[in-house]
Amino acid sequence: MTSDAMENTVQAANDFDWSFLLGSPLRITVIIIGAMVVNLIVRLFIRRFTAAVAKGTVGSEKAEAAGFAKFSSTALEAQRTGIDQQTIKERRAQRARTVGRMLSSVTTILISVIAALMVLDALNFNIAPILASAGIAGVAIAFGAQELVRDYLSGFFIVIEDQYGIGDTVDLGEAVGEVEDVGLRRTQVRDLTGTLWHVRNGEILRVGNLSQGWARAVLDIPIDYATSMDDYREMTEAVTHSLRKDPELSRAMIENPEIAGVQSLSGSHRVIRTMVKTKPNLQWMVERAFRAELMTEMAKRGAQIGMVQETVLRTLPSGDGSSDAAKEETDALAPVRQKRTASATNSRNDPAPSRLPSDEEIRTTAQQDSPSEGSNDDADE
């Protein structure tokens, strides 16, 4: 490069308007760097919040009021709910991941949109129409997607409050069963028949969780009046002793059965309510085992289950004409009833089922056994 070319280059550099770099490019760079820094700071707070959710220190005022430190909230919840600590930790970790992903996505989208609008403004673009269009679109989306927004908000609070989790048995109204998946928009519940219910979180008005804390097996046993309450109490103690021999049933029963008393009365028996406090989701197993052992114990003692006694009375219609017609019909069908009775008697002795007479056979038998009008006229002559 010659000396003249170098002088021209230096002169051109001196003539360059360096103030341009201090204008829009510098502002755009500052906006982008600022957006990245703000996003990192917000994500840091989100990670700290999700870590607190995973550890169980969020909303641990109850643990502190009870004199427990924050690090012992898992043990406190395990003692209160009856769920093992490992399961509690896994559910908290799942909740933390779900909440962290949602909050990170929302904050990233908001910061990116704000930064893009600021960059357009720094480039001297008129963003007023964009803001107006965004406002109109926001109103339209608010009307059209309000159900979706409600689903996500309800799902967020369901997850953060741990109303239920995967593996819990819940009652969501029409959907009653085991939870297979929990999301921010919908919940999947498998009922007893195997049907998989997809329930939107915004439609869940109340939740009945059968797996949190403890459960109770409620048994209404009908007992006849010949069995006294003392006898029933002795049978219950014998059944409890028998159930305690099974390690699985013994672990499922938190307390011994409690006899609440007579639930209802009838002319043939009384219903005695018995309750057993059990671990979550094990009340049905305890109920079935208790009923089976109680039937065995009642058979040993000669006690009986109360049964409803019914008597059916059938009468023929009164009156001259109707009684005569009924009598004639009864006499006509008497041979058919005798044949049915004989066939029923034979069926008790013969294991093979007998064939029932058809309508044509019944009518033929009735005509053969009853005298016709023509024969009566001949007899009179």
Side-chain angles (χ1 to χ4, degrees):
M1 181 180 292
T2 61
S3 60
D4 295 336
M6 293 180 62
E7 290 178 359
N8 294 331
T9 302
V10 173
Q11 185 65 29
N14 292 329
D15 295 338
F16 183 76
D17 188 8
W18 294 95
S19 62
F20 172 75
L21 296 177
L22 300 177
S24 298
L26 181 60
R27 289 198 300 270
I28 293 174
T29 304
V30 171
I31 290 172
I32 294 175
I33 295 175
M36 295 174 62
V37 171
V38 171
N39 192 16
L40 290 176
I41 294 174
V42 173
R43 283 177 175 270
L44 177 62
F45 280 105
I46 291 175
R47 282 196 297 269
R48 294 185 61 182
F49 176 74
T50 54
V53 172
K55 293 180 180 179
T57 57
V58 174
S60 59
E61 293 81 2
K62 295 181 179 180
E64 295 179 354
F68 295 89
K70 289 184 178 181
F71 62 85
S72 64
S73 60
T74 302
L76 178 64
E77 184 175 353
Q79 183 180 4
R80 178 177 58 85
T81 60
I83 306 174
D84 58 290
Q85 298 186 19
Q86 185 63 27
T87 304
I88 294 175
K89 291 179 181 179
E90 292 176 356
R91 289 179 56 172
R92 283 177 176 170
Q94 179 188 6
R95 287 178 353 194
R97 289 193 298 268
T98 304
V99 173
R101 287 196 300 265
M102 189 195 72
L103 294 179
S104 298
S105 301
V106 171
T107 54
T108 301
I109 293 173
L110 290 178
I111 293 174
S112 300
V113 171
I114 294 174
L117 293 177
M118 293 177 67
V119 168
L120 292 177
D121 184 55
L123 294 175
N124 296 324
F125 282 96
N126 187 11
I127 62 174
I130 298 177
L131 295 177
S133 301
I136 297 173
V139 173
I141 293 174
F143 280 103
Q146 55 182 346
E147 297 292 338
L148 184 63
V149 174
R150 186 173 69 177
D151 294 341
Y152 275 96
L153 289 178
S154 300
F156 174 78
F157 285 107
I158 287 174
V159 172
I160 197 64
E161 294 175 357
D162 193 21
Q163 297 181 11
Y164 53 82
I166 297 177
D168 288 352
T169 303
V170 297
D171 182 358
L172 304 181
E174 294 185 2
V176 180
E178 182 179 354
V179 178
E180 290 195 353
D181 187 24
V182 181
L184 293 177
R185 193 183 65 85
R186 55 100 181 98
T187 298
Q188 294 182 357
V189 178
R190 180 85 62 178
D191 64 6
L192 187 62
T193 61
T195 304
L196 183 63
W197 293 80
H198 299 265
V199 184
R200 289 171 40 206
N201 293 331
E203 295 181 348
I204 300 175
L205 302 180
R206 87 295 188 271
V207 177
N209 196 327
L210 307 179
S211 303
Q212 286 183 347
W214 51 271
R216 176 172 284 157
V218 181
L219 302 103
D220 292 335
I221 309 298
I223 301 296
D224 60 352
Y225 289 104
T227 303
S228 63
M229 290 295 296
D230 295 335
D231 295 337
Y232 180 77
R233 189 173 291 105
E234 293 178 359
M235 288 187 294
T236 303
E237 293 176 357
V239 169
T240 304
H241 181 71
S242 178
L243 294 179
R244 289 294 185 184
K245 294 180 181 179
D246 190 342
E248 186 177 3
L249 292 172
S250 181
R251 287 192 300 267
M253 296 170 57
I254 299 177
E255 298 177 356
N256 289 333
E258 175 188 357
I259 301 177
V262 178
Q263 185 69 15
S264 62
L265 297 172
S266 66
S268 58
H269 62 272
R270 62 184 182 275
V271 177
I272 302 176
R273 171 161 293 184
T274 305
M275 300 181 296
V276 186
K277 191 174 182 180
T278 66
K279 290 185 177 181
N281 286 340
L282 298 179
Q283 62 269 30
W284 302 288
M285 180 183 68
V286 174
E287 287 181 4
R288 290 190 289 267
F290 188 91
R291 291 191 182 98
E293 291 295 332
L294 182 62
M295 290 177 60
T296 304
E297 188 65 25
M298 293 180 67
K300 292 179 181 178
R301 297 173 179 264
Q304 295 182 358
I305 297 292
M307 300 179 61
V308 179
Q309 300 178 0
E310 294 182 354
T311 303
V312 179
L313 299 178
R314 295 180 178 178
T315 59
L316 295 176
S318 59
D320 297 336
S322 60
S323 60
D324 295 339
K327 184 177 180 180
E328 292 177 358
E329 183 179 0
T330 303
D331 295 339
L333 295 179
V336 179
R337 293 195 181 96
Q338 291 177 359
K339 290 183 179 181
R340 290 184 178 178
T341 304
S343 61
T345 304
N346 295 331
S347 63
R348 295 190 186 98
N349 300 326
D350 188 3
S354 60
R355 185 181 64 85
L356 296 177
S358 62
D359 296 339
E360 185 65 26
E361 293 176 352
I362 294 175
R363 286 194 294 269
T364 304
T365 304
Q367 292 176 0
Q368 292 176 357
D369 293 340
S370 60
S372 59
E373 294 180 358
S375 60
N376 292 336
D377 296 339
D378 296 339
D380 292 338
E381 291 176 359

